[in-house]
């Protein structure tokens, strides 16, 4: 009976901590509840939700793609959990704007479209339309400029440098996007 009461108390404290945005504390309470009932689906579910939300917040503003990955997973499980829908939408928009600033128009358009699926507004529709038209223009320009097909072994660089950045004599960074012959992104 004492274990049952302790479990209920830990679960209630975890829910309260989640409501008050104290995810680390909520995870500690859920961990204690799971010490009492290790296979309890309710505590495991809440722990997963809190963990995904906390991870999404860690990446929010620093790494939009990773934040989106966490918030998408959380949204798939429970779209009503806290403000996950609003956070996911704003992450899509911010990532889309970042991609647009980098002139990666097609991916920016995709991010804006995903944000529109969650909630539409005129300014976002304008951003999406602009990114889509820039994407189409870039594809048309690329199609009109015949590229050189390189038959090179895997691991060989075959591309063009868009922007060089000085990072120090003892360091080197390589960033980029990889596309197949049709222009589709390759992971």
């Amino acid at each position: 009976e004492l274990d049952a009461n302790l479990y209920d108390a830990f679960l209630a404290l975890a829910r309260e901590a989640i409501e008050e945005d104290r995810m680390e504390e909520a995870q500690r309470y859920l961990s204690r509840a799971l010490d009492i009932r290790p296979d309890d689906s309710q505590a495991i579910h809440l722990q997963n939700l809190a963990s995904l939300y906390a991870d999404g917040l860690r990446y929010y503003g620093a790494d939009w793609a990773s934040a989106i990955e966490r918030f998408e997973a959380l949204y798939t499980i429970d779209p009503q959990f806290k403000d996950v829908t609003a956070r996911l939408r704003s992450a899509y928009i911010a990532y889309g704007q970042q991609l647009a600033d980098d002139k990666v128009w097609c991916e920016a358009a995709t991010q804006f479209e995903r944000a529109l699926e969650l909630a539409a507004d005129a300014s976002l529709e304008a951003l999406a339309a602009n990114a889509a038209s820039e994407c189409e223009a870039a594809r048309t320009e690329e199609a009109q400029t015949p590229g050189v097909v390189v038959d090179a072994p895997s691991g060989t660089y075959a591309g063009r440098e868009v922007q060089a950045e000085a990072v120090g004599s003892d360091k080197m960074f390589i960033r980029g996007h990889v596309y197949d012959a049709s222009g589709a992104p390759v992971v």
Side-chain angles (χ1 to χ4, degrees):
E1 188 177 324
L2 180 60
D3 282 349
N5 288 338
L6 275 173
Y7 170 82
D8 291 340
F10 285 135
L11 205 58
L13 287 168
R15 285 194 172 116
E16 182 180 312
I18 287 170
E19 285 300 314
E20 296 173 0
D21 291 327
R22 300 185 328 255
M23 295 300 157
E24 306 285 327
E25 187 178 335
Q27 290 176 342
R28 285 194 301 274
Y29 289 133
L30 290 165
S31 179
R32 299 284 304 273
L34 287 167
D35 288 342
I36 297 168
R37 293 186 192 164
D39 298 327
D40 186 74
S41 62
Q42 186 177 16
I44 291 169
H45 179 70
L46 260 181
Q47 188 177 46
N48 289 336
L49 296 178
S51 178
L52 284 169
Y53 189 81
D55 284 349
L57 288 179
R58 276 189 206 93
Y59 289 110
Y60 196 81
D63 180 350
W64 291 116
S66 296
I68 287 169
E69 183 180 318
R70 279 23 173 233
F71 287 135
E72 277 180 341
L74 179 55
Y75 182 82
T76 301
I77 296 168
D78 185 357
Q80 303 303 316
F81 188 79
K82 298 193 64 62
D83 61 349
V84 68
T85 302
R87 290 223 182 244
L88 179 57
R89 183 177 184 271
S90 70
Y92 282 141
I93 294 168
Y95 190 39
Q97 289 173 330
Q98 178 183 333
L99 291 164
D101 290 345
D102 292 341
K103 308 251 186 281
V104 184
W105 296 110
C106 296
E107 184 59 29
T110 300
Q111 297 303 316
F112 293 139
E113 289 297 326
R114 289 178 177 166
L116 282 169
E117 289 172 7
L118 296 175
D121 66 55
S123 63
L124 182 55
E125 287 174 2
L127 282 173
N130 180 57
S133 68
E134 291 287 348
C135 172
E136 191 58 38
R139 284 186 177 160
T140 302
E141 181 181 321
E142 190 175 296
Q144 291 173 349
T145 309
V148 177
V149 177
V150 178
D151 186 18
S154 178
T156 302
Y157 175 79
R160 61 185 165 91
E161 182 177 313
V162 176
Q163 177 182 359
E165 295 177 26
V167 292
S169 62
D170 62 333
K171 294 184 170 74
M172 179 176 82
F173 294 101
I174 299 174
R175 287 187 282 243
H177 303 278
V178 179
Y179 299 96
D180 64 15
S182 70
V186 176
V187 179

